[in-house]
Amino acid sequence: MIRDILVYPDKKLKLISKEVLSFDATLHELLDDLYDTMCERNGVGLAAIQVGIAQRILIINIPLEVEEGVHDQPKENTLEMINPIILEKEGSALFQEGCLSLPGVYEDVERAKHVKVAYFDREGNKQIIEDDDFLSIAMQHEIDHLDGKVFIEKLSYIKRKKFEKEWKKVLKGA
Ligand SMILES: [Zn+2]
């Protein structure tokens, strides 16, 4: 089921999400809904708080190029992370980021290049993953959502001011 995505500056996006305690059917349904919602909007990641649920749950699915210009995000490739914790961070990298809660906004953001993250899968099994490429950036972006942060908060003061001014115009026009 496709759920509505909260748009910045919805106050709920500032909430600190709570740990998941039971790995039950409700969790599985939410994970499935997050996937449907993310795919419908052509996203690569989505955190539960973006659909208004303040629990430490996120998904990431980096599209595969199946042929030139044609991308696919098969469900079995979805990384489902529950209660993720960044264990290690190293280096720095600049990537252009976007967010389904800020449609149409793309900005360069500096983050750690390499991260090692511990998390639980949908069955409650503990997992560890490391990455130093786009997945690393995506995990840091989504984990920020669980702590009430959106990527534009990482912009410089001047860029942020400019963004807020332009975003007001976008929201008025919507
Ligand atoms: Zn986001």
Side-chain angles (χ1 to χ4, degrees):
M1 191 183 81
I2 293 164
R3 302 201 189 195
D4 289 335
I5 296 180
L6 302 180
V7 173
Y8 179 87
D10 193 303
K11 284 198 180 75
K12 273 195 169 176
L13 291 170
K14 286 184 133 346
L15 292 175
I16 310 283
S17 292
K18 295 206 162 64
E19 274 201 25
V20 172
L21 301 174
S22 52
F23 294 77
D24 55 11
T26 310
L27 171 69
H28 296 172
E29 195 184 322
L30 174 61
L31 286 164
D32 294 342
D33 287 357
L34 288 174
Y35 174 78
D36 294 342
T37 307
M38 178 191 71
C39 287
E40 200 246 351
R41 299 281 296 275
N42 298 315
V44 298
L46 191 61
I49 191 61
Q50 291 179 275
V51 298
I53 295 174
Q55 293 187 12
R56 304 189 79 80
I57 299 165
L58 64 90
I59 63 162
I60 295 170
N61 189 321
I62 294 169
L64 303 169
E65 191 164 24
V66 284
E67 53 183 285
E68 217 184 297
V70 182
H71 291 84
D72 191 21
Q73 288 175 289
K75 185 149 195 238
E76 62 270 22
N77 284 4
T78 308
L79 178 62
E80 299 176 333
M81 307 182 98
I82 294 131
N83 303 339
I85 291 172
I86 296 177
L87 302 173
E88 287 171 20
K89 266 187 183 185
E90 228 178 68
S92 77
L94 198 66
F95 268 84
Q96 193 183 63
E97 297 186 22
C99 181
L100 292 178
S101 292
L102 286 138
V105 178
Y106 300 93
E107 294 283 355
D108 284 340
V109 175
E110 194 176 337
R111 296 192 186 267
K113 177 165 173 56
H114 172 262
V115 288
K116 184 173 177 180
V117 182
Y119 65 99
F120 293 89
D121 64 23
R122 64 159 65 202
E123 308 301 339
N125 300 309
K126 195 172 181 183
Q127 310 283 352
I128 288 186
I129 191 166
E130 299 187 54
D131 193 70
D132 62 3
D133 204 345
F134 185 59
L135 176 60
S136 164
I137 303 303
M139 290 193 289
Q140 294 175 69
H141 175 117
E142 299 306 332
I143 291 170
D144 267 359
H145 276 300
L146 307 185
D147 294 320
K149 290 182 248 168
V150 290
F151 78 103
I152 40 129
E153 289 169 41
K154 298 185 85 74
L155 299 179
S156 68
Y157 179 78
I158 290 168
K159 276 191 161 179
R160 177 75 187 272
K161 278 265 176 211
K162 191 167 166 264
F163 158 78
E164 292 291 351
K165 212 172 151 186
E166 285 168 5
W167 190 245
K168 267 187 192 137
K169 283 187 211 159
V170 171
L171 292 178
K172 267 187 194 162

